[in-house]
Amino acid sequence: MRSFESEIEALRSQSLHRRLRVLDSAQGAAITLAKKCGEALNFSSNDYLGLANTEALREAMIEGVRRFGAGSGASRLVCGTLSPHVALEAAIADFKGAEAAVAFGSGFAAATGALPALLGKGDAILLDKLSHASLIDGARLSGATIRVFPHNDLGKLEALLGWARRTLAGDARVIVATEAIFSMDGDRAPLREIAGLKDRFGALLLVDEAHAIGVCGPGGRGLAAELGCGDRVDLKMGTLSKALGCSGGYLAGSAALIDLLINRARSFIYSTAPPPAVAFAARRAIEISASPDGDARRARLWQNLRAFAAALDLPEPPSAIVPIIAGREEAALAAAAKLLEGGILAPAIRFPTVARGSARLRLSFSAAHTPGQVSALADAIRSLALG
């Protein structure tokens, strides 16, 4: 029997071993690293609107604890549905233009709960090749036939939809699943065109807006809203953990869809409800995103992105994620280490998160970054001679 130590050593030999990095500060544009590593500019966080450590969300969390306590007590179908959960889901549904919504403990739980609840043997799911691991795992758990189309390849998706309708039973459920903003490349899905294909073939469309919520669209409602096709997305999936600065995931859609998920999604049924204070604060975060303050934060975020791109003569980024490709795992690790020596935290992303040979620095930007911090990052990246 192979030992755990031998597997760890194999990871080290391939430059694929990872360690947890401890922070001694809250999330922010600048953070304090533990073990006397000092302060660093933070270009690793998905806190795109800079909300995670704001007074507004801190106060909302404190008020939630004061009114509803620390824990939820049980799964929501037993005794764990408190009024903040209900209010949050109503706010999500309104924000996303849906009849109803259900919140999960994480975005991962939303995907791995929803897909097996909706699909089974005889059904099919068509996945973009770069879809998040949660969608892949949810698809595998469902027992449905899985087909993967090359990234953003509309022609192959059309062919797969045709195959599904020719091959599967007439009542088979077919779901097309994609991210709106892809988490490692930062590029966008052609959602209008995908929606047109799913309509033509009578399929359902799941769009994970994890990296688009708060960043794109009116009020930060996401890329589908920006493109004017939000009403054609059947399963509106997203997170409360990134631009909204809190924790948790959700799915929004028709009232019947959400009712079915509440009754079938195992990650919902068999998990203790998220802390009520988190739901309380997440509702406040949605309100902020949809407010003039949210608009101002988005404007600062996009100003930072444009300034960084201009400094390095790059195209304007389509999202808050900017990958700098290093290629080999060792090169990405060396680049990240050099940046950290200079006081900048920018993670090296390696296989299996990205394909072998495409290791990279994944830079993520926030409304909380100052122009000076963005300029310092651009200077540091230029010195690496990558990309």
Side-chain angles (χ1 to χ4, degrees):
M1 183 184 297
R2 66 185 183 279
S3 68
F4 301 139
E5 290 80 6
S6 68
E7 292 194 46
I8 293 170
E9 186 54 40
L11 290 173
R12 287 198 181 102
S13 70
Q14 300 172 70
S15 298
L16 296 177
H17 184 253
R18 293 156 170 86
R19 292 180 295 177
L20 296 174
R21 180 179 285 110
V22 180
L23 308 183
D24 277 341
S25 67
Q27 275 294 332
I31 52 175
T32 302
L33 300 169
K35 297 184 180 179
K36 300 181 181 180
C37 292
E39 291 190 353
L41 299 182
N42 183 12
F43 286 93
S44 68
S45 172
N46 296 325
D47 183 25
Y48 302 129
L49 294 183
L51 288 177
N53 192 34
T54 55
E55 185 71 17
L57 290 198
R58 289 202 308 269
E59 288 301 316
M61 188 77 75
I62 291 167
E63 178 63 16
V65 171
R66 187 178 292 120
R67 291 175 57 183
F68 298 100
S72 294
S75 68
R76 290 179 59 189
L77 289 174
V78 178
C79 72
T81 292
L82 297 165
S83 60
H85 300 127
V86 177
L88 170 62
E89 288 165 346
I92 293 169
D94 180 68
F95 188 62
K96 294 298 295 177
E99 290 180 353
V102 60
F104 292 80
S106 69
F108 206 103
T112 55
L115 290 176
L118 300 174
L119 296 169
K121 187 176 181 180
D123 297 324
I125 180 164
L126 313 181
L127 285 165
D128 186 287
K129 183 177 176 62
L130 296 188
S131 291
H132 191 265
S134 62
L135 293 172
I136 296 169
D137 288 357
R140 288 171 173 166
L141 287 169
S142 74
T145 298
I146 301 170
R147 293 289 184 269
V148 176
F149 57 94
H151 180 49
N152 284 344
D153 188 329
L154 295 170
K156 184 61 174 179
L157 174 59
E158 180 178 17
L160 288 174
L161 283 164
W163 161 84
R165 282 308 173 213
R166 289 191 307 272
T167 306
L168 304 180
D171 63 348
R173 188 171 284 155
V174 178
I175 293 179
V176 177
T178 184
E179 297 184 49
I181 300 293
F182 289 87
S183 58
M184 291 299 119
D185 289 287
D187 60 335
R188 300 180 169 204
L191 293 183
R192 277 192 296 237
E193 292 81 359
I194 291 174
L197 287 174
K198 75 94 185 179
D199 287 343
R200 188 173 132 209
F201 286 93
L204 299 173
L205 175 58
L206 182 154
V207 177
D208 179 3
E209 296 251 35
H211 296 276
I213 289 297
V215 175
C216 303
R221 287 174 174 82
L223 181 61
E226 179 178 309
L227 297 175
C229 59
D231 60 342
R232 298 163 70 191
V233 177
D234 305 284
L235 292 87
K236 306 167 194 279
M237 181 178 156
T239 183
L240 308 166
S241 313
K242 295 178 172 59
L244 297 180
C246 292
S247 182
Y250 67 80
L251 264 156
S254 70
L257 165 70
I258 300 307
D259 194 12
L260 187 61
L261 292 180
I262 289 170
N263 282 275
R264 283 191 178 171
R266 293 169 68 86
S267 59
F268 175 86
I269 297 169
Y270 299 109
S271 293
T272 296
V278 173
F280 196 90
R283 182 187 177 196
R284 178 72 183 116
I286 291 172
E287 293 172 352
I288 293 171
S289 180
S291 74
D293 181 23
D295 290 339
R297 288 174 180 273
R298 268 182 294 282
R300 290 199 299 274
L301 169 63
W302 286 104
Q303 286 169 4
N304 286 338
L305 287 159
R306 293 182 187 109
F308 176 78
L312 293 178
D313 197 26
L314 298 173
E316 182 175 321
S319 73
I321 302 160
V322 180
I324 305 294
I325 306 300
R328 295 180 300 109
E329 279 72 21
E330 298 88 341
L333 285 171
K338 184 176 179 182
L339 288 178
L340 191 56
E341 288 175 6
I344 295 174
L345 178 60
I349 305 297
R350 295 158 284 157
F351 179 83
T353 306
V354 295
R356 291 189 185 275
S358 66
R360 67 197 61 191
L361 301 175
R362 179 191 182 273
L363 307 176
S364 50
F365 289 76
S366 170
H369 288 127
T370 67
Q373 290 168 337
V374 173
S375 178
L377 174 66
D379 290 343
I381 293 295
R382 190 181 298 109
S383 72
L384 295 174
L386 292 173

